[in-house]
Amino acid sequence: MILQISSGQGPAECELAVSKLYDALKREYPDITMLSCHKSRLSGGCTSILLSARSDLSELEGSIQWICKSPFRPKNKRKNWFVDVSIIPEARRISRKQEIRFERFHSGGNGGQNVNKVETGVRLVHIPTGITVTSTSERSQLANRRDAMNKLNAILEQKEAEERQKQVKTAWQEHTHIVRGNAVRVYEGMEFRRKV
């Protein structure tokens, strides 16, 4: 499971709350791992942290409230700060297993005596995704098979890059979305104690 803790457009106090929440969750769920962290420029906190967990942390999705006087602006009366926890869909892994159906066929066009007599054309079907690649440009079946495999690998790499990009886009959209109020958890003070 992948989660993002985000301060959204919140002030430095929210950025500090992101870091404190990550530390609190790390103590509560030792199996979580930080995947990325966008440090803030001012507070020593983070604008967002992306983390993975083996535990089911879906009950954390939503707003987290931190009740604390501002450590940055002592005269500020505000003491309620909100951060967002979002579940980010994992990038779909494209199967690289060699589950490939291999088909031969007669090549057409120029090429000498082999054309239309020997099956030098190659078609590969990647069974997990249904992607089909053909190659007829070489004179031997072995060379066409190698060419088709190179084409297939390039397509699979492109698909994986698209899936990773989709995950990044989702994380960015969630970063700007915070609902203040109706918190799923509340923490208090600079010690970041959970209020039950």
Side-chain angles (χ1 to χ4, degrees):
M1 162 172 270
I2 296 178
L3 294 168
Q4 177 177 255
I5 308 169
S6 171
S7 65
Q9 304 300 317
E13 292 83 358
C14 294
E15 295 169 356
L16 182 58
V18 167
S19 296
K20 286 184 169 290
L21 178 59
Y22 175 76
D23 292 340
L25 292 177
K26 185 75 176 161
R27 286 190 298 275
E28 191 175 344
Y29 304 98
D31 69 319
I32 67 172
T33 307
M34 185 184 292
L35 300 175
S36 68
C37 174
H38 294 277
K39 298 255 184 219
S40 63
R41 290 177 287 136
L42 303 173
S43 68
C46 300
T47 57
S48 72
I49 294 176
L50 201 65
L51 59 97
S52 70
R54 281 184 246 128
S55 309
D56 180 12
L57 303 181
S58 52
E59 84 264 0
L60 292 173
E61 187 170 31
S63 295
I64 305 289
Q65 182 180 9
W66 179 36
I67 302 169
C68 184
K69 284 185 66 70
S70 172
F72 306 111
R73 298 174 284 173
K75 294 182 181 176
N76 191 338
K77 291 181 181 178
R78 181 178 167 188
K79 59 179 185 173
N80 289 299
W81 315 101
F82 292 90
V83 297
D84 178 70
V85 175
S86 300
I87 296 173
I88 305 297
E90 294 193 40
R92 192 171 57 100
R93 293 225 180 262
I94 306 296
S95 174
R96 289 294 188 118
K97 292 180 181 171
Q98 297 302 317
E99 296 174 26
I100 297 170
R101 187 171 66 238
F102 170 72
E103 300 170 358
R104 306 180 300 255
F105 58 91
H106 294 289
S107 296
N110 299 329
Q113 297 175 356
N114 284 347
V115 175
N116 294 324
K117 293 180 186 172
V118 179
E119 293 180 327
T120 57
V122 171
R123 180 179 301 112
L124 298 180
V125 179
H126 187 247
I127 294 167
T129 59
I131 296 170
T132 302
V133 177
T134 59
S135 179
T136 59
S137 60
E138 304 296 330
R139 291 180 60 115
S140 76
Q141 189 181 103
L142 184 63
N144 278 328
R145 187 175 186 156
R146 211 174 10 246
D147 181 52
M149 279 302 293
N150 288 339
K151 288 178 184 176
L152 179 61
N153 283 330
I155 291 169
L156 293 176
E157 283 173 17
Q158 176 64 31
K159 290 232 176 263
E160 283 180 351
E162 288 169 7
E163 288 295 324
R164 285 191 301 272
Q165 190 58 38
K166 223 185 280 184
Q167 185 183 37
V168 168
K169 185 177 178 184
T170 301
W172 176 247
Q173 287 170 337
E174 290 297 328
H175 175 69
T176 58
H177 171 74
I178 288 187
V179 178
R180 287 162 182 33
N182 201 20
V184 296
R185 277 194 182 187
V186 178
Y187 290 86
E188 291 182 305
M190 284 302 288
E191 304 81 22
F192 215 74
R193 288 183 315 273
R194 185 174 173 193
K195 186 176 179 182
V196 183

